[in-house]
Amino acid sequence: MSFFDFIQSASSSSSYDMAIDLGTANTLVGISGQGVVINEPSVVAIERSTHRVLAVGHEAKNMINHTPDTFSAEHPLHDGVVSDYDITEAMISAFINKAAPRRYPWQPKPRIVVCIPCGATSVEKRAVFEATIQAGARQAYLIEEPMAAAMGADLPVTEPTGSMVVDIGGGTTEVAVISLGGIVTSSSLRLAGNRMDEAIAMHLRDLLGIKIGERTAEQMKMQIGCVFPKEEETTIEIKGRCLMTGLPKTITVTSTEMLEAFEEPVERILEAVHGVLERTPPELVADIANNGIVMTGGGSLVDGFDKLITARTGIHTVVAENAISCVAIG
């Protein structure tokens, strides 16, 4: 093989398409033909004085609340949209290089599809587009999260029938009715899994007088969190700081207390679901009643969410098989 043939072969073999589910809590990267290759927290650790990136993903998340004043671990996205352009660009670039590093300078850059909330403004969409291009994309395309989630969950989005998806991520909740390849009605709520974590921390602070960190709240949500009464109550032992004494304190929290803590954010999500159903044409509502509602996103994995929506709407609701990866897969 000549050197020219080698270059041509290397270039053609490295031409690929990439999908990025740019989430507030986690970012997933998928490559065509390979599936999801990266699923890491959307956290970047930087040096404050120089804004130099020190770590991205899991390594950066472990540094939250554990760094000296000269460093900080930050979430560059809030409520599903870019809050810090430069750090977002650095994070996307790091994930692209980690997912499929370019071995040769002449290799073409990837074409990238990025998911955005359906309620994002034109300015927010432009920020994501520009950050993706600057991070190393040859071409960038934007797709609304509910549509990607519905495709990832294998819903018949191109058929003349109504499909309803509820995507609960870290920063946003997307509720949409899809038919004939388009979104008929939708609602984008800037409240999701992160707000549930905050609700847990506030509940423990106000009622039990103990302060906990972000990671502890997330751990509680995953282990004993529920939004529908459990048949058997579960408990967890957690450590925090007593607000009265300022000293470490260990307490036991029950799943019933989690149910109380989640009441406000969960009610707002249910209101969004009801609002979308009210604005949906009657024919499509009939389809949804027959086909059911599909839930995706990490927030949908909180125990009992599908049962709660079924009880409140009367429509059978299920959690997608690959709930966390649905958007990236789609």
Side-chain angles (χ1 to χ4, degrees), residues 16-22 27-32 35-38 92 95-96 99 110-115 132 141 143 148 325-330:
Y16 53 88
D17 295 327
M18 183 179 291
I20 299 179
D21 176 11
L22 199 61
T27 294
L28 283 75
V29 180
I31 297 179
S32 56
V36 177
V37 295
I38 286 180
I92 295 174
F95 284 143
I96 291 174
R111 294 184 302 176
I112 299 179
V113 179
V114 185
C115 301
T132 306
Y141 307 91
I143 182 173
S325 308
C326 275
V327 174
I329 293 171

Side-chain angles (χ1 to χ4, degrees), residues 60-292:
K61 185 174 182 178
N62 291 334
M63 298 169 67
I64 292 178
N65 297 330
H66 290 82
T67 58
D69 292 339
T70 53
F71 306 112
S72 67
E74 301 183 7
H75 294 272
L77 295 110
H78 287 283
D79 299 331
V81 295
V82 176
S83 62
D84 190 308
Y85 179 88
D86 293 331
I87 298 180
T88 300
E89 179 190 325
M91 183 182 74
I92 295 174
S93 179
F95 284 143
I96 291 174
N97 293 331
K98 191 172 183 178
R102 295 174 68 204
R103 298 182 179 180
Y104 310 102
W106 59 77
Q107 288 179 337
K109 297 178 180 179
R111 294 184 302 176
I112 299 179
V113 179
V114 185
C115 301
I116 56 168
C118 58
T121 65
S122 57
V123 175
E124 291 165 344
K125 292 177 182 178
R126 189 69 185 177
V128 172
F129 178 84
E130 292 291 345
T132 306
I133 291 294
Q134 293 298 322
R138 181 168 86 252
Q139 293 175 313
Y141 307 91
L142 304 181
I143 182 173
E144 292 175 318
E145 284 182 16
M147 179 62 74
M151 291 189 290
D154 289 329
L155 295 181
V157 295
T158 59
E159 297 180 12
T161 183
S163 300
M164 187 169 185
V165 62
V166 179
D167 179 46
I168 306 176
T172 60
T173 295
E174 310 284 325
V175 184
V177 174
I178 299 167
S179 180
L180 289 172
I183 294 178
V184 181
T185 52
S186 66
S187 176
S188 182
L189 192 65
R190 300 199 173 184
L191 172 153
N194 287 356
R195 188 65 64 86
M196 293 182 185
D197 295 342
E198 294 173 8
I200 293 172
M202 291 176 62
H203 182 78
L204 295 183
R205 183 195 65 191
D206 296 341
L207 296 184
L208 303 177
I210 186 170
K211 188 172 184 179
I212 61 172
E214 176 184 324
R215 292 172 62 186
T216 302
E218 185 179 15
Q219 179 187 3
M220 293 174 65
K221 177 181 70 177
M222 292 189 294
Q223 291 191 13
I224 66 165
C226 65
V227 297
F228 196 79
K230 288 186 175 184
E231 295 181 1
E232 187 175 335
E233 190 172 70
T234 55
T235 62
I236 187 175
E237 192 175 82
I238 58 115
K239 296 178 175 64
R241 187 176 77 236
C242 178
L243 295 176
M244 293 289 290
T245 65
L247 299 175
K249 185 178 181 180
T250 301
I251 61 170
T252 299
V253 183
T254 67
S255 54
T256 302
E257 289 174 309
M258 292 295 93
L259 194 66
E260 298 171 1
F262 288 152
E263 184 176 352
E264 188 268 335
V266 167
E267 279 299 322
R268 291 188 57 186
I269 292 173
L270 289 171
E271 288 173 6
V273 173
H274 289 164
V276 169
L277 286 171
E278 287 175 358
R279 299 193 301 272
T280 302
E283 293 82 0
L284 296 182
V285 171
D287 292 337
I288 295 168
N290 291 328
N291 302 331

Side-chain angles (χ1 to χ4, degrees), residues 40-54:
E40 296 198 26
S42 301
V43 184
V44 180
I46 62 169
E47 188 176 18
R48 292 182 186 273
S49 58
T50 62
H51 280 266
R52 181 170 60 92
V53 176
L54 303 174

